[in-house]
Amino acid sequence: MVRPLLFLSALIELACAQQIITPSSVLNISSCPITYYGKKYEQLYVNITTENFALCFDGFFKTQTGGDCLVGPTASYVTLHIDSQNSKLESQVHQEVPSIKASMECSLEFFMEYTNTTNLTFRVHSLQLTAKTMISSTLIVTLKPNISLNIAMYKNTVQDISGCRHSGTAYEPDTVVSSNPDTCSILTCSETAVLETLGCGPLERCQGNNTCVVDTTCTVTGPTVINVHGQVNSIKDRCAYSLVSIPSIPNFYLMANFRDRRRKDVSFLDSVILHLDGPGVHSHLEQGGTVWLNDSTLTLNSSSQLVHGVQLSKDQTGVTAKLSLSNLTISVFFDGDTAQIHLEGPAGSSVEGLCGNSSRSLSDLRLSEYSSTSCEMQYSEPADSTINCTSVTERCNLLKEAPFSSCNSDIDPEPYITACTDTLCKYPAVDGLNCQFLKAYTRACSLHNHTLDGWTSKTGCSSEAFCQDRTCSDHEFCGEKTVGGDTRCFCRAIFASKYQANNSLGDPTVCMQDSGSLTLVGCLLEDKGIDYSTLHLNDPTCRGQVDELTHMVTFSFNSSNSCGTEVTANNSYIIYQNTIRSQNYSSDVISRHDQVQINFSCVHSQPNINTATFRIRDCSVAQKISCGVWNYTLIIKAYTDAGQTQVVQLNSEVRLNQRIWVKLETNGLDGSMVTVVSDSCWATDQASPTSSPRHDLIINGCANPADPTVAVEENGLGTSSLFSFNMFRFIGGSGEVYLHCKLHLCPKEDTSCTPNCNAAARRHRSVGSKYEGEASISMSWTH
């Protein structure tokens, strides 16, 4: 706004145009309009009388009424000059009144000549109103009836005479026009001569006595954040974000986690995390009214419970957490779908994060340490053709109708309508979503003392929390089982997609050497209408075990309870097979609402045994075997008696043709499931099993008929085998006898694995020139 300035000086400027003023003149100044006390004028009214000279803006001067006038001593001769820009005058004004920064566009100059040779010049211009004079006595210029200005003689003067106008009254700059302590409203004429209304800020309310306090609400619902300024942010991914942080309170911040539900391309508020008192205290508010304090759940009711300075309570509408920090009261309400953060405190409190004033981008406010891996990945899915966006928009626009409209002046409904339509035009109106945004607006209004009576009956909504007290696992969310009916836990879309791609209801079979298990996903079973409690294995007494936290259903068998598991062998593999079936299963249907058959099996390769050397005087050799799921120990011992009580010791003497018993034992194999079969054993005078010469002891599980001293006493009946033979040595060899055995595992039920040896008479071997002397025995074996 242009501020008039009175400029008094002994200098007289030359004008580019000149008009002689008559005693009563109306002058057109539209080429250089002047704003005076808040009004813009394009005409001037000039009076010259025997008593004074009057320059008025709103009509000719009248002594009784005054007016918007500049009044001075009368003059015998008056002229008007209209000038364009005057850089010299502009510079002088800026120098005399540094607060004036604007540029001069034009000016009006009235030059008055007096009979006593005194000259007076009023200059009116777009910067200010100025007057210049050189007189022999004091000049009194009257500005409005209540403002006068005394000018001392021979003194150059620049005087700011701008002001404001309110209700017909003029006010000088930097003055209070009016004040209402009850509403914290102050009307001022500012330093720049502009009427300004001062009061509480947009996030504040008046407490009375001209005291303002912060009183604002942030709403997070669905994928949207409506911040304290009413601005809408939409979250596209499934990460954690900072909602509220207070620069003056470094140990406090509020976070929100977003997750997918029925669609992979739309995220929803999933939980709220309240962090305070350092990194060790986190309160998690989750769907269903569950509240975690670090790793423990809290039991809450309608009575406030103080936990680490936070008042926690829970009712049928949701959970409320309230705390006071540095005179700022923060209340967080969460009903499982919507979070509303209400802040009250001293005026000027700064709020950052998605809810506040932060100018940081969404990526800057993302909290990777609280987010899942790959949470930033975004998905696209085909549009839902069942959604009628026109009907959705009409539904969302109810917020502009009664009874909601009674709150519209305090809480702008447009951000809530935007959040509502943006979400429901691409996501089906299920799981209470049809009411979620209306409910969020209603609660925001209640925080500002608006009670919207009858909103539930008009909309068909309930004020109670959706899915209250139903706890779902991390890969689930709570939704409607039937529209407007019961609720249950549904699989999240991204989690379910990996099973749907394989047409599977669970994870791959987990196989160990003596057990197997198959885990089915509870929410996938419910999607198919399958009641897990009706399922069992081949043995009807073997049923699924439910993990109460994850809702996964596991069916398993082991050596203690085979649950009807069928064990078969196929070449070098052992196969364990069982079936999950429903109680009323009666056909080969793989999966139906009332009939289920899910086959699962474990296929184990028979393990290889590493080569080991056994010296007869070393007492025994133990070899740990690990191959796939098989993990057991093979122990070989040599005895000098049939009862296997006399173990060959380091100082034992072994004579040629002395009877030796060799036992191969296993630890770690389940004898009720598998047996160990020695297919063949042979001797060489070198460590390599393929070296020559070679002498066979066991062939096809039976004693070599060419060597009558060999006897296979146990083979294929359990997890050990036993055979005996008379000591020998190779003539001309190294003096060592290396024994090699080939073994395999066989299902217990497979009777064909037990060697069927012909007990016919065997040829006697010669113990003459080929075998002589005492020998130590070394053994190695392979599978």
Side-chain angles (χ1 to χ4, degrees), residues 4-316:
L5 190 73
L6 182 63
F7 180 37
L8 299 154
S9 174
L11 298 175
I12 299 177
E13 302 294 335
L14 295 177
C16 61
Q18 177 175 304
Q19 298 181 39
I20 298 176
I21 306 302
T22 63
S24 296
S25 299
V26 179
L27 307 177
N28 183 348
I29 59 169
S30 59
S31 62
C32 188
I34 298 299
T35 300
Y36 182 60
Y37 278 84
K39 283 188 177 182
K40 185 176 182 180
Y41 295 100
E42 294 185 352
Q43 284 185 323
L44 288 177
Y45 299 85
V46 180
N47 285 118
I48 303 175
T49 67
T50 57
E51 297 179 354
N52 53 44
F53 165 78
L55 173 65
C56 300
F57 297 97
D58 56 353
F60 289 110
F61 176 73
K62 296 178 181 179
T63 305
Q64 297 83 0
T65 59
D68 287 349
C69 300
L70 298 174
V71 182
T74 191
S76 58
Y77 178 76
V78 180
T79 59
L80 168 63
H81 305 269
I82 300 178
D83 290 350
S84 58
Q85 288 183 328
N86 187 322
S87 59
K88 185 176 181 180
L89 177 61
E90 179 182 322
S91 177
Q92 186 174 356
V93 170
H94 287 165
Q95 183 177 358
E96 294 291 337
V97 187
S99 62
I100 302 300
K101 306 296 184 183
S103 299
M104 181 187 295
E105 297 177 1
C106 60
S107 65
L108 307 177
E109 181 180 274
F110 292 88
F111 176 75
M112 288 162 284
E113 185 178 302
Y114 295 87
T115 55
N116 59 2
T117 69
T118 299
N119 299 329
L120 173 64
T121 301
F122 283 119
R123 181 178 291 278
V124 185
H125 55 76
S126 60
L127 250 184
Q128 306 294 346
L129 177 68
T130 67
K132 297 185 292 184
T133 185
M134 187 178 72
I135 55 177
S136 57
S137 61
T138 300
L139 169 67
I140 299 177
V141 180
T142 302
L143 313 173
K144 306 291 294 179
N146 61 331
I147 302 176
S148 63
L149 184 65
N150 296 329
I151 308 298
M153 66 179 180
Y154 299 113
K155 185 175 182 181
N156 296 340
T157 304
V158 177
Q159 179 68 43
D160 186 351
I161 59 170
S162 59
C164 304
R165 183 191 308 271
H166 179 68
S167 300
T169 304
Y171 296 89
E172 297 184 55
D174 199 21
T175 58
V176 175
V177 175
S178 64
S179 175
N180 186 340
D182 294 334
T183 61
C184 301
S185 176
I186 301 175
L187 180 64
T188 66
C189 180
S190 71
E191 291 184 353
T192 57
V194 176
L195 278 174
E196 293 181 345
T197 300
L198 304 178
C200 296
L203 308 182
E204 301 170 349
R205 64 175 172 83
C206 182
Q207 256 190 344
N209 196 28
N210 280 333
T211 302
C212 296
V213 294
V214 168
D215 184 5
T216 188
T217 301
C218 172
T219 298
V220 187
T221 184
T224 55
V225 179
I226 303 171
N227 71 11
V228 295
H229 304 288
Q231 299 166 334
V232 178
N233 267 317
S234 181
I235 304 302
K236 306 293 185 183
D237 56 30
R238 300 157 311 287
C239 301
Y241 286 87
S242 170
L243 288 181
V244 175
S245 61
I246 312 295
S248 60
I249 311 175
N251 290 329
F252 165 82
Y253 50 88
L254 189 67
M255 299 168 284
N257 274 303
F258 293 84
R259 300 285 301 276
D260 61 299
R261 291 190 178 178
R262 295 177 187 260
R263 290 176 63 95
K264 294 187 288 185
D265 59 341
V266 181
S267 295
F268 287 83
L269 174 66
D270 190 65
S271 63
V272 177
I273 304 174
L274 186 64
H275 171 102
L276 69 160
D277 293 341
V281 180
H282 293 79
S283 298
H284 292 247
L285 281 58
E286 299 181 350
Q287 194 179 29
T290 302
V291 178
W292 290 82
L293 179 64
N294 294 339
D295 296 325
S296 302
T297 57
L298 300 178
T299 302
L300 302 175
N301 52 42
S302 57
S303 300
S304 293
Q305 182 180 144
L306 191 63
V307 181
H308 290 283
V310 181
Q311 292 181 355
L312 293 167
S313 61
K314 173 184 173 182
D315 59 20
Q316 71 276 9

Side-chain angles (χ1 to χ4, degrees), residues 38 51 146 230 256 261 366 510 515 518 551 671 719:
E51 297 179 354
N146 61 331
R261 291 190 178 178
R366 187 181 297 121
V510 176
S515 66
L518 179 64
H551 301 158
T719 58

Side-chain angles (χ1 to χ4, degrees), residues 594-668:
D594 58 343
Q595 294 187 342
V596 178
Q597 180 185 6
I598 303 173
N599 298 320
F600 69 104
S601 59
C602 291
V603 180
H604 298 318
S605 298
Q606 294 190 34
N608 295 323
I609 302 179
N610 297 327
T611 300
T613 299
F614 172 71
R615 293 182 62 84
I616 199 70
R617 296 188 182 91
D618 287 341
C619 301
S620 67
V621 167
Q623 175 70 44
K624 291 186 178 296
I625 308 301
S626 295
C627 181
V629 299
W630 305 101
N631 186 8
Y632 62 94
T633 302
L634 177 64
I635 303 171
I636 299 179
K637 291 183 180 180
Y639 301 90
T640 58
D641 65 317
Q644 303 150 50
T645 61
Q646 302 297 318
V647 179
V648 177
Q649 301 292 335
L650 179 63
N651 56 357
S652 298
E653 293 184 0
V654 180
R655 301 182 304 277
L656 187 65
N657 285 325
Q658 180 179 353
R659 194 81 179 161
I660 297 296
W661 284 263
V662 177
K663 188 169 187 177
L664 288 77
E665 293 182 283
T666 61
N667 286 336

